[in-house]
């Protein structure tokens, strides 16, 4: 039996993209009967924001005022996600670089899943994932779901790449827990490295083709075994 999902952390930068991810996290929490904790991380160094909107206010907002405003925003998000009830939602304000603070909180709380929205603005990977999401994937040792798009519906079909390593097997099991009703498609990309090496070594073409066909068959058999192992769990 797959290990149940009991605790989900959903990180937010309070943007629209993040709220889509929060709704997806809430849907997963409802489906699995899990607790949901909403996180927001403030920079470790004091961040003073100019109070442009109020001419009578001090020229800078104090950090504790900023924290209070964020806490209030998090509470509003939690109230909306709870809706008609049946969902336990908590909030937590972290301090530090988001990827570090979120990864540490995931360990401290023994989270089964971390959810974050994709919001890319920088380089190629940042445009695909978002800089914080990309860094979190590198730092966090817990399963991380990066949510793109606007749909709140759970996945009906999931494609997962595998290189037959232990890490890939863990990813497959995590997806089976996350989307128990979805069709899983296991994919292995057969690397042409062997073909390149044989070409450099001037291996006979016919012999090289036999080696390549044997490697493809081994990969196909490994895919079949991985699928059978998953079906047996």
């Amino acid at each position: 039996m797959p290990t149940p999902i009991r605790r989900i952390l959903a990180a937010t930068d309070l943007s629209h993209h993040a709220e889509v991810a929060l709704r997806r996290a809430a849907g997963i929490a409802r489906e699995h009967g899990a607790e949901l904790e909403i996180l927001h991380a403030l920079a470790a160094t004091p961040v003073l924001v100019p109070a442009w909107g109020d001419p009578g206010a001090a020229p800078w907002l104090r950090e504790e005022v900023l924290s209070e405003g964020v806490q209030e925003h998090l509470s509003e998000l939690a109230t909306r996600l709870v809706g008609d009830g049946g969902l336990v939602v908590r909030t937590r304000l972290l301090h530090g670089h988001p990827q570090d603070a979120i990864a540490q909180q995931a360990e401290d709380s023994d989270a089964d899943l971390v959810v974050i929205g994709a919001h890319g603005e920088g380089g190629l990977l940042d445009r695909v994932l978002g800089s914080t999401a990309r860094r979190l994937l590198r730092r966090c040792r817990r399963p991380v779901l990066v949510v793109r798009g606007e749909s709140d519906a759970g996945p009906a079909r999931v494609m997962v790449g595998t290189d037959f390593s232990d890490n890939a097997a863990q990813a497959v099991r995590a997806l089976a827990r996350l989307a128990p009703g979805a069709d899983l498609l296991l994919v292995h990309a057969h690397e042409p490295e062997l073909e390149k090496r044989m070409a450099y070594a001037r291996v006979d073409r016919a012999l090289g083709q036999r080696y390549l066909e044997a490697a493809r068959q081994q990969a196909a058999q490994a895919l079949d075994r991985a699928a059978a192992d998953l079906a047996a769990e």
Side-chain angles (χ1 to χ4, degrees), residues 1 9 27 43 50 63 67 71 89 91 140 157 173 208 212 215:
M1 290 291 292
L9 304 186
E63 185 182 8
S67 297
Q71 285 280 22
V89 182
T91 64
C140 190
R157 184 175 295 108
R173 288 194 292 270
L212 290 173

Side-chain angles (χ1 to χ4, degrees), residues 135-152:
R135 292 167 185 160
L136 181 62
L137 286 171
R138 291 180 175 177
R139 301 291 180 87
C140 190
R141 300 176 61 186
R142 305 285 170 152
V144 179
L145 173 64
V146 181
V147 176
R148 293 187 63 87
E150 298 290 332
S151 175
D152 297 336

Side-chain angles (χ1 to χ4, degrees), residues 17 22 29 46 54 58 104 107 115 138 146 160 171 182 190 200 220 230:
H17 297 271
L22 291 183
D54 185 358
Q104 186 60 55
E107 289 297 318
V115 181
R138 291 180 175 177
V146 181
V160 53
H190 187 69
Y200 294 150
L230 181 62

Side-chain angles (χ1 to χ4, degrees), residues 39-94:
L39 308 177
H40 178 79
L42 287 176
T45 54
V47 179
L48 300 181
V49 181
W52 305 113
D54 185 358
W60 300 95
L61 290 174
R62 298 175 62 86
E63 185 182 8
E64 54 266 30
V65 176
L66 180 61
S67 297
E68 290 173 2
V70 171
Q71 285 280 22
E72 183 177 350
H73 195 159
L74 291 176
S75 296
E76 292 172 357
L77 289 172
T79 299
R80 291 206 298 271
L81 291 176
V82 169
D84 296 330
L87 181 64
V88 176
V89 182
R90 297 185 175 88
T91 64
R92 186 181 298 270
L93 181 60
L94 306 174

Side-chain angles (χ1 to χ4, degrees), residues 8-50:
I8 300 173
L9 304 186
T12 177
D13 61 1
L14 309 179
S15 68
H16 170 72
H17 297 271
E19 190 159 350
V20 171
L22 291 183
R23 294 198 299 270
R24 177 68 63 81
I28 297 171
R30 284 194 175 90
E31 182 177 355
H32 292 267
E35 295 181 357
L36 176 63
E37 186 168 47
I38 304 174
L39 308 177
H40 178 79
L42 287 176
T45 54
V47 179
L48 300 181
V49 181

Side-chain angles (χ1 to χ4, degrees), residues 113-132:
L113 179 67
V114 179
V115 181
I116 188 170
H119 185 194
E121 294 179 344
L124 176 59
L125 281 177
D126 286 354
R127 286 196 293 271
V128 173
L129 293 175
S131 59
T132 299

